[in-house]
Amino acid sequence: MKLDYLDQLESEAIHIMREVAGQFERPALLFSGGKDSITLVHLALKAFRPGKLPFPLVHIDTGHNFQEALDFRDNLAEQIGEKLIVRYVEDTIREKKLKEPTGRNATRNGLQTFTLLDTIEEFEFDACIGGARRDEEKARAKERVFSVRDEFGSWDPKRQRPELWNLYNGRIHKGENVRVFPISNWTELDVWNYIRREKIALPSIYFAHERELLIRDGKLMATAGGVIKPEADDQLVTRRVRFRTVGDISCTAASESQADTLDAVIDEIQATRISERGETRMDDQLSEAAMEDRKKGGYF
Amino acid sequence: MDLLRFITAGSVDDGKSTLIGRLLYDSKSILADQLEAIERASKSRDDGEIDLALLTDGLRSEREQGITIDVAYRYFQTPNRKFIIVDAPGHIQYTRNMVTGASNCQLAIVLVDARHGVVEQTRRHSLIASLLGIPHIVVAINKMDLVDYSQDVFSDICIHYAELAQKLNVHQVSYIPMSALNGDNVVDKSTAMTWYEGPTLLEHLETVTINDAVDGETEDHHPARFPVQYVIRPQTAELHDYRGYAGKITSGTFRKGDSITVLPSGETSTIDAIEIAEKQLDEAATPMSVVLHLATDVDISRGDLIVRSDSQPISSQNVEAMLCWMDTKEFKAGNKYVLQVGTARTRCSVREIAYQLNVNTYEETEGVESLKLNDLAKVVLRTAQPVSFDPYAQNRATGGAILIDETSNVTVGALMLTGESL
């Protein structure tokens, strides 16, 4: 008997989630309404049904999210009858008098970290499950499945715990927390193949649709909700696009696409010569170590 | 499509990162923007050649020093197989990272610099691969371009390594001459070494038989083992009596109707149902994550091990193991740790260091008082509760264990359990 690789990856992810349930007092699952965290929710249901999920779903809302993703998030939480906690970056900015980045290409994405750390403190979460994958970015490729963070949420790549066989050590001191990545070993294509196989529903913005956009530095940025203010040299256009990742509007670019079905999307990803984050995420391209530096600061 | 996890081991200058870069580059697994990024980075350094090693060094300090510090994972696929590359550092002080990386792998690529042949690092990496029970070893004899692609040099190294493999009891060894820098025999056949008739590295990786029970394939002679992770009890009106034991089958096969024993209590029952996501199955095998239901009410919680009654593991409070020590604090007799085997944790104390194993000469030294970071030794432990396990050589899944420091909570040791100590 030989398991297909998707079954192997699924089984590994379920095992990791159950380790979280078995080892921690107050875990949470970070859920944004994007394809990776939707996949996590699906895996969690497989891991714990017919019981309740042993953790709430938590979303750190930058206030700059796509409405389609937010609606999808709320509907899914309601449909499966699980608790959804939302905390807003907007509130943190107001309460802590944080300075918002301004100017061209300003993004609130970095401020998410403050709200995330406050939320961890508020609910005393000792483990946060996230949908990060090692194929996304070179700093992520270095991260363990159980990633221990100190009381400031900081990641120290030189002090990672050895992770052997399928034994995960989640013992921590009070105040520390563990970020857990059950789909570490999945690639973008694996996630899409799994979504197709399991018939998992996704927000509509993952599929080709007509949208008003502006072209900035060669990228197609959504004008949705007025998050990005058009400047004089920005060109406003209407194009048929889809989103390869669903992040903060201010730093997530769309790709021109005719792919309006799962099969078409998968064909497109198989044929592409540009990586997921390279194509869509402006925030990773600020410097050679942008992701690594954000993670050291407590980012996911 | 199946999945092969392999580790690359080699010393700092053997060209390991270049080999991985070449494998990804020639198999067209590097996307255009990633390539542009390393082209940019290469240009800002020295001679303008693309440095494929930059692909794998993901951390700022690694790029600064030009060495790999921690294990990284890369992914690529060909039409028939998916690959997870475990890219482990070769530097001596990072031996523990190689052990970490090797624990889940079915194949190890040991890089040898053709100019230097078998050196201490080769011996160390091969020992670790053998201790961790990696079934296949590929000896990648690299930098053949620097020895004029000489068949004699290649043959000498093969003979030398074969002696080593015999000492280590490693049987499935393949030898490939290559130049990772120029791309000879990595993905494409070398035109400079027509005397070599074997497969290229990628051809070998694509066709090697995966027969390890850790991942993917079940062998019937492996006993059925199920460490309980979590008990699912919905406690709702309609599921009042539902009680499912959630876990991953780490070895063997379970079938409906099997007689089982729960360890450490020794209570027995029968498997009533096997579920995956509420779907009923008649049988399930490694590495499936499932839910088991038993015919009778037995007291079971996280940390218990369910086994088929006809093949019981060792259950003991006195265990012997090979240890790779991974902490800067010393390991010595009398020290206490937390031992984790499967999902079970128990306190243990160190009774004895039986001998230390020299990683370069393979000599066993008795009378050693304490172990330092990266030392390997045979040790004897006494546990607070009996632990259930199989000898690692027979079963990687149930014979591997970790030691955890009770105060720092850090994983400080990797154990390959070998048996009961009398």
Side-chain angles (χ1 to χ4, degrees):
Chain A
M1 189 169 181
K2 196 172 221 167
L3 283 192
D4 180 68
Y5 80 98
L6 275 182
D7 289 312
Q8 289 188 48
L9 292 175
E10 177 191 67
S11 176
E12 180 180 76
I14 289 173
H15 174 253
I16 292 163
M17 287 207 181
R18 287 171 172 170
E19 280 304 287
V20 172
Q23 291 198 36
F24 294 93
E25 300 277 327
R26 273 179 291 278
L29 189 152
L30 297 184
F31 174 58
S32 63
K35 67 179 189 311
D36 297 306
S37 63
I38 290 170
T39 300
L40 285 185
V41 171
H42 182 83
L43 289 163
L45 295 174
K46 283 204 166 190
F48 301 107
R49 284 292 189 249
K52 290 285 282 181
L53 297 188
F55 34 69
L57 311 178
V58 174
H59 185 216
I60 307 301
D61 188 338
T62 60
H64 291 169
N65 288 300
F66 289 95
Q67 195 54 45
E68 294 91 331
L70 296 180
D71 292 344
F72 188 94
R73 174 199 76 185
D74 295 341
N75 288 338
L76 182 61
E78 197 187 318
Q79 186 200 324
I80 61 174
E82 297 289 344
K83 188 173 172 188
L84 172 70
I85 296 169
V86 182
R87 287 293 177 270
Y88 299 91
V89 172
E90 192 84 49
D91 293 341
T92 316
I93 292 172
R94 205 179 44 245
E95 283 159 24
K96 301 205 156 170
K97 303 199 165 41
L98 298 182
K99 188 168 160 36
E100 268 204 80
T102 51
R104 193 177 165 89
N105 297 333
T107 170
R108 273 186 182 178
N109 213 31
L111 296 178
Q112 242 180 322
T113 302
F114 296 89
T115 315
L116 172 63
L117 296 181
D118 286 351
T119 310
I120 288 172
E121 237 175 83
E122 179 187 351
F123 294 94
E124 296 182 52
F125 291 134
D126 48 5
C128 297
I129 300 170
R133 308 186 320 264
R134 286 172 176 151
D135 79 323
E136 282 177 79
E137 212 275 341
K138 55 188 183 292
R140 287 248 200 259
K142 293 273 169 183
E143 196 154 1
R144 303 275 194 260
V145 172
F146 269 40
S147 176
V148 179
R149 305 297 182 98
D150 66 15
E151 57 183 311
F152 304 102
S154 180
W155 180 62
D156 184 351
K158 289 189 180 172
R159 295 189 56 204
Q160 301 201 82
R161 291 178 180 174
E163 203 155 81
L164 297 131
W165 298 288
N166 57 4
L167 302 176
Y168 298 100
N169 171 11
R171 277 177 62 123
I172 49 170
H173 294 111
K174 198 160 172 53
E176 296 175 334
N177 68 84
V178 177
R179 309 287 170 86
V180 181
F181 306 112
I183 60 169
S184 283
N185 286 326
W186 300 40
T187 62
E188 181 190 19
L189 191 58
D190 295 337
V191 171
W192 280 104
N193 279 324
Y194 186 73
I195 285 168
R196 175 163 65 182
R197 191 186 83 168
E198 300 286 308
K199 302 186 173 62
I200 299 171
L202 292 180
S204 57
I205 61 173
Y206 280 110
F207 302 98
H209 57 284
E210 296 253 320
R211 178 184 283 272
E212 187 186 77
L213 304 128
L214 56 85
I215 301 177
R216 176 175 291 181
D217 302 331
K219 303 265 185 206
L220 289 165
M221 306 301 292
T223 55
V227 173
I228 300 180
K229 303 274 179 296
E231 293 175 7
D233 56 344
D234 290 332
Q235 190 191 342
L236 275 173
V237 293
T238 300
R239 293 278 165 83
R240 196 163 166 78
V241 295
R242 60 174 213 91
F243 287 84
R244 204 162 153 195
T245 67
V246 174
D248 190 280
I249 291 175
S250 62
C251 59
T252 309
S255 0
E256 278 197 77
S257 170
Q258 300 298 324
D260 53 5
T261 63
L262 265 174
D263 288 340
V265 169
I266 290 172
D267 287 345
E268 197 174 275
I269 291 167
Q270 266 172 326
T272 185
R273 296 298 304 145
I274 304 178
S275 74
E276 180 179 355
R277 295 193 82 93
E279 178 164 7
T280 66
R281 298 302 285 264
M282 316 296 286
D283 45 340
D284 285 343
Q285 290 155 31
L286 298 175
S287 81
E288 207 181 331
M291 168 83 90
E292 179 181 349
D293 292 343
R294 277 185 288 142
K295 277 149 60 88
K296 284 178 178 163
Y299 183 76
F300 228 82
Chain B
M1 183 145 59
D2 61 8
L3 185 61
L4 175 71
R5 293 181 203 233
F6 66 92
I7 185 169
T8 51
S11 19
V12 184
D13 296 318
D14 286 347
K16 193 163 52 66
S17 298
T18 310
L19 173 63
I20 295 172
R22 176 61 66 188
L23 200 53
L24 296 173
Y25 183 77
D26 286 358
S27 66
K28 305 199 169 39
S29 309
I30 302 175
L31 297 174
D33 59 309
Q34 295 165 330
L35 198 59
E36 274 165 32
I38 65 163
E39 274 169 356
R40 263 200 313 276
S42 303
K43 262 183 215 141
S44 67
R45 265 148 248 245
D46 37 30
D47 53 8
E49 289 263 309
I50 296 181
D51 183 359
L52 288 173
L54 288 175
L55 267 178
T56 60
D57 289 335
L59 299 174
R60 188 193 286 279
S61 49
E62 292 178 323
R63 290 188 293 273
E64 282 164 5
Q65 297 173 50
I67 58 165
T68 313
I69 289 168
D70 202 353
V71 180
Y73 299 83
R74 318 272 151 205
Y75 305 83
F76 77 105
Q77 68 181 87
T78 56
N80 304 318
R81 192 167 265 182
K82 284 191 71 79
F83 299 95
I84 299 179
I85 308 179
V86 180
D87 175 16
H91 210 265
I92 183 156
Q93 67 247 46
Y94 305 117
T95 297
R96 63 180 193 149
N97 289 329
M98 184 185 162
V99 172
T100 293
S103 67
N104 278 322
C105 287
Q106 299 117 336
L107 181 146
I109 299 176
V110 176
L111 261 106
V112 172
D113 185 325
R115 293 169 303 169
H116 309 308
V118 173
V119 294
E120 271 190 17
Q121 298 269 33
T122 323
R123 300 173 65 84
R124 184 180 321 113
H125 294 146
S126 303
L127 175 66
I128 293 170
S130 129
L131 278 178
L132 281 150
I134 297 179
H136 301 273
I137 291 189
V138 176
V139 183
I141 299 166
N142 191 26
K143 305 197 182 181
M144 287 299 291
D145 52 318
L146 300 181
V147 294
D148 295 328
Y149 298 103
S150 157
Q151 184 174 7
D152 288 344
V153 170
F154 174 72
S155 305
D156 284 349
I157 294 172
C158 293
I159 292 165
H160 197 165
Y161 192 90
E163 286 168 23
L164 187 95
Q166 200 169 13
K167 270 191 210 152
L168 290 173
N169 227 3
V170 175
H171 302 295
Q172 303 189 60
V173 187
S174 311
Y175 303 90
I176 304 175
M178 64 182 65
S179 163
L181 189 69
N182 300 336
D184 291 278
N185 288 337
V186 178
V187 170
D188 303 315
K189 273 230 181 303
S190 170
T191 48
M193 290 179 279
T194 45
W195 47 264
Y196 172 74
E197 287 167 355
T200 65
L201 177 64
L202 184 64
E203 280 166 7
H204 181 71
L205 294 173
E206 279 190 295
T207 51
V208 66
T209 314
I210 308 170
N211 55 5
D212 188 297
V214 170
D215 278 297
E217 184 141 352
T218 309
E219 289 182 48
D220 274 345
H221 63 265
H222 279 100
R225 303 286 183 253
F226 183 85
V228 176
Q229 289 187 278
Y230 187 78
V231 182
I232 297 177
R233 289 180 60 207
Q235 293 177 296
T236 54
E238 66 270 30
L239 292 166
H240 186 73
D241 294 324
Y242 185 103
R243 179 191 283 266
Y245 303 105
K248 183 175 176 179
I249 301 173
T250 51
S251 155
T253 305
F254 285 93
R255 294 183 182 85
K256 225 171 119 171
D258 278 352
S259 299
I260 59 96
T261 302
V262 182
L263 298 166
S265 72
E267 288 197 68
T268 57
S269 186
T270 309
I271 294 180
D272 207 22
I274 305 172
E275 291 175 354
I276 286 189
E278 303 179 79
K279 205 171 67 201
Q280 304 285 320
L281 303 174
D282 287 331
E283 65 168 53
T286 328
M288 290 159 80
S289 284
V290 298
V291 175
L292 296 184
H293 293 264
L294 302 182
T296 50
D297 269 339
V298 191
D299 176 19
I300 299 178
S301 52
R302 177 177 168 84
D304 289 339
L305 181 68
I306 296 177
V307 305
R308 249 191 14 228
S309 301
D310 58 9
S311 64
Q312 303 241 356
I314 298 169
S315 240
S316 175
Q317 283 178 265
N318 300 302
V319 298
E320 279 187 349
M322 283 306 299
L323 165 72
C324 173
W325 185 243
M326 301 179 149
D327 200 40
T328 46
K329 280 189 276 181
E330 287 193 337
F331 174 95
K332 54 187 177 206
N335 283 5
K336 292 190 174 61
Y337 302 99
V338 173
L339 174 72
Q340 182 177 338
V341 188
T343 55
R345 279 186 191 157
T346 176
R347 297 184 75 200
C348 70
S349 66
V350 181
R351 271 178 42 195
E352 192 197 345
I353 300 171
Y355 61 81
Q356 187 182 337
L357 188 60
N358 184 312
V359 290
N360 299 319
T361 61
Y362 308 161
E363 278 165 17
E364 297 168 5
T365 312
E366 289 178 24
V368 172
E369 300 272 312
S370 66
L371 301 178
K372 294 189 294 295
L373 179 68
N374 292 319
D375 282 349
L376 294 172
K378 178 74 160 280
V379 299
V380 183
L381 306 173
R382 165 85 186 166
T383 60
Q385 261 88 49
V387 290
S388 305
F389 66 96
D390 297 292
Y392 188 82
Q394 289 163 31
N395 199 337
R396 285 172 87 184
T398 49
I402 55 174
L403 287 180
I404 300 169
D405 184 296
E406 284 185 291
T407 58
S408 71
N409 291 329
V410 170
T411 303
V412 288
L415 292 167
M416 279 68 73
L417 303 171
T418 49
E420 186 174 9
S421 157
L422 301 170

